[in-house]
Amino acid sequence: MSTHPGVRRSAVIALSAGALLSVSALSAPAQAATAAPKGAPAATAAAAAPTVSAKGAFLLNNTSSATVYSKAADTRRQMASTTKIMTAAVVLSTKDVDLNRKVTVKQAYRDYVVKEGASTADLRTGDKVTVRQLLYGTMLPSGCDAAYALADTYGTGSTVAARTKSFIAKMNAKAKELKLTNTKFDSFDGISGGGNNYTTPRDLAKIAQYAMKNANFRAVVKATSYKATAPAANGGTRTYTWYNTNQLLGSYSGAIGIKTGTGTAAGPCLVFAATRGSKTLVGVILNGSDRYKDAAKILDHGFGASTAKTMKLRTLPSNAQRD
């Protein structure tokens, strides 16, 4: 297991450097899921599929669930911080969830990100933040402290450890409910001690598709930044400002989310969605050296566009988290 430096403003989530959980040693070639025109050779449609750097990729039509693009779609891989999509989805699917419920920040949440060298929402001990704010803190700066707070709040048990274990069990139960046979969680944020936190491009796209059904989730993941105030431990008011680590937002026309992830074993990951006209596409890049260009290329493929070549990425402020 690799060691991590102390928490820093530009920290990324690091995962254990275990072997990838792959059903095949070889990545399958990319395949376009469109049929060849009538009278054209059968290989025409497949030849139109773009080449991507990612070891695994998938794109689906959000309305019909039809596969638009696929590369090693059913090969299990670690998913890093894209795990937090399920974290947010479990919270938002809680019966009668109160997004204005106040949660007191524990020192344990800060200690955790320092110990792991993890990305952080920089939550301050004793501040009282709402569940809604914790969702933004989890999804925009990829705050592992915010994800920890959500797991601690929505798990059951008499100790923090018991509650977080209970919450992870809820994540796995949701995966089972969605009939995802190649997904397993051992973490609420993607930092996996045993390497038992994995999914496939196809499964992760289905998790994202499920999460995007929730209006509150959609509102969170499409925001490029978020500013919130909270009662501080000293009796004053603290202002939190978070920037979305997902640089596809504001860069690719129609992008509406969803989540970045980076880890030692997982590599750079991206779960994304975009809408143009009446069509919404949801996609996944796992372990891609050029994840944003990969996403743009397969979105272009799905939309019949050619904007990836000229896309310029939104620049993150120097003090923003990187994930």
Side-chain angles (χ1 to χ4, degrees), residues 87-103:
T87 303
V90 168
V91 170
L92 288 167
S93 66
T94 301
K95 185 178 180 181
D96 300 324
V97 62
D98 179 6
L99 299 185
N100 295 316
R101 175 182 177 181
K102 285 192 166 58
V103 175

Side-chain angles (χ1 to χ4, degrees), residues 24-205:
S24 170
L26 300 175
S27 294
Q31 295 179 335
T34 51
K38 188 174 182 180
T44 300
T51 300
V52 296
S53 71
K55 292 183 179 178
F58 194 74
L59 188 70
L60 59 76
N61 183 300
N62 190 55
T63 301
S64 67
S65 297
T67 300
V68 179
Y69 181 90
S70 174
K71 177 183 177 181
D74 300 307
T75 299
R76 294 177 178 180
R77 299 187 185 281
Q78 289 198 31
M79 63 186 116
S81 206
T82 63
T83 296
K84 292 169 182 156
I85 297 170
M86 184 62 98
T87 303
V90 168
V91 170
L92 288 167
S93 66
T94 301
K95 185 178 180 181
D96 300 324
V97 62
D98 179 6
L99 299 185
N100 295 316
R101 175 182 177 181
K102 285 192 166 58
V103 175
T104 301
V105 178
K106 296 177 181 177
Q107 182 63 35
Y109 310 155
R110 290 184 61 85
D111 292 344
Y112 173 74
V113 294
V114 171
K115 175 176 175 284
E116 298 294 341
S119 50
T120 175
D122 198 22
L123 299 177
R124 302 303 178 92
T125 304
D127 285 5
K128 297 183 184 301
V129 294
T130 67
V131 170
R132 188 188 307 277
Q133 290 168 345
L134 287 173
L135 287 167
Y136 277 96
T138 296
M139 301 302 288
L140 271 63
S142 201
C144 295
D145 45 356
Y148 194 168
L150 289 173
D152 186 23
T153 301
Y154 286 92
T156 56
S158 58
T159 64
V160 173
R163 289 189 292 273
T164 52
K165 182 177 180 181
S166 161
F167 186 84
I168 293 166
K170 291 182 180 183
M171 295 168 71
N172 283 309
K174 181 62 68 176
K176 186 175 181 181
E177 177 188 319
L178 296 174
K179 297 181 172 58
L180 307 179
T181 57
N182 286 311
T183 296
K184 184 176 181 180
F185 298 101
D186 69 359
S187 162
F188 52 77
D189 59 1
I191 298 177
S192 173
N196 243 350
N197 198 81
Y198 59 81
T199 189
T200 65
R202 189 190 308 273
D203 276 11
L204 190 49

Side-chain angles (χ1 to χ4, degrees), residues 121-124 127 129 226-230 238-242:
D122 198 22
L123 299 177
R124 302 303 178 92
D127 285 5
V129 294
Y226 181 76
K227 182 177 285 189
T229 58
R238 195 182 314 280
T239 299
Y240 288 99
T241 303
W242 297 310

Side-chain angles (χ1 to χ4, degrees), residues 216-227:
N216 288 304
F217 182 88
R218 294 196 303 272
V220 170
V221 299
K222 76 177 182 181
T224 54
S225 64
Y226 181 76
K227 182 177 285 189

Side-chain angles (χ1 to χ4, degrees), residues 15 20 54 56 77-83 199 204 245-246 258-272 283-292 295 323:
L15 300 183
L20 294 178
R77 299 187 185 281
Q78 289 198 31
M79 63 186 116
S81 206
T82 63
T83 296
T199 189
L204 190 49
T245 59
N246 178 10
I258 299 174
K259 186 72 188 74
T260 58
T262 304
T264 303
C269 302
L270 180 67
V271 180
F272 54 94
V284 172
I285 296 294
L286 291 182
N287 205 335
S289 61
D290 199 351
R291 56 184 169 176
Y292 294 113
D323 181 22

